[in-house]
Amino acid sequence: MTFEVLAEPVRRRILDLLREHPRTVGELTAELGLSQPGTSKHLRVLREAGLVRVRSEAQRRWYELDPAPLVEVDAWLAPYRWMWADRLDRLERHLEEEEEARDDRS
């Protein structure tokens, strides 16, 4: 369920904004350029997935990131990181070799 929720770019953007600090639906709507109902729909999906929690303060509702499900995703991805690290190491070596070859031609 978490991956399905995170597949939507707008929801990832909401999580990025909430990572900075809690926000109201109005603040999120302004940042995202969406309608209030559209923003609320995405927030509902994020809440149902456990990625966002809401707290009421007077008449305002503050949305904040709940990182617990992301910790689970991170733990699941951990065994695959070696693949990325290996590829990044190879890319770095390739770029260094190209730079050295360019310097030799100069």
Side-chain angles (χ1 to χ4, degrees):
M1 169 83 167
T2 302
F3 286 109
E4 184 178 327
V5 170
L6 294 174
E8 169 59 49
V10 172
R11 293 185 197 128
R12 291 194 309 269
R13 177 74 177 123
I14 290 171
L15 294 178
D16 288 342
L17 291 167
L18 294 178
R19 188 182 61 208
E20 296 169 2
H21 58 83
R23 297 173 191 260
T24 64
V25 70
E27 291 173 315
L28 290 167
T29 297
E31 287 280 342
L32 298 168
L34 295 176
S35 66
Q36 189 275 327
T39 302
S40 292
K41 176 187 161 202
H42 287 294
L43 286 168
R44 180 179 44 80
V45 172
L46 289 167
R47 272 193 338 267
E48 289 172 356
L51 291 161
V52 169
R53 57 182 168 246
V54 183
R55 65 178 164 80
S56 296
E57 188 176 287
Q59 295 180 340
R60 295 181 124 182
R61 294 178 60 153
W62 291 91
Y63 293 85
E64 53 193 15
L65 180 65
D66 186 347
L70 297 175
V71 170
E72 292 173 24
V73 170
D74 183 59
W76 183 81
L77 288 171
Y80 299 94
R81 284 203 180 88
W82 68 269
M83 288 186 247
W84 301 321
D86 182 53
R87 289 182 180 164
L88 288 173
D89 289 344
R90 280 188 273 158
L91 175 60
E92 182 179 23
R93 282 192 301 275
H94 174 74
L95 293 174
E96 286 172 354
E97 289 168 4
E98 281 191 356
E99 186 176 338
E100 288 172 7
R102 244 189 335 267
D103 290 345
D104 290 344
R105 287 186 295 235
S106 302

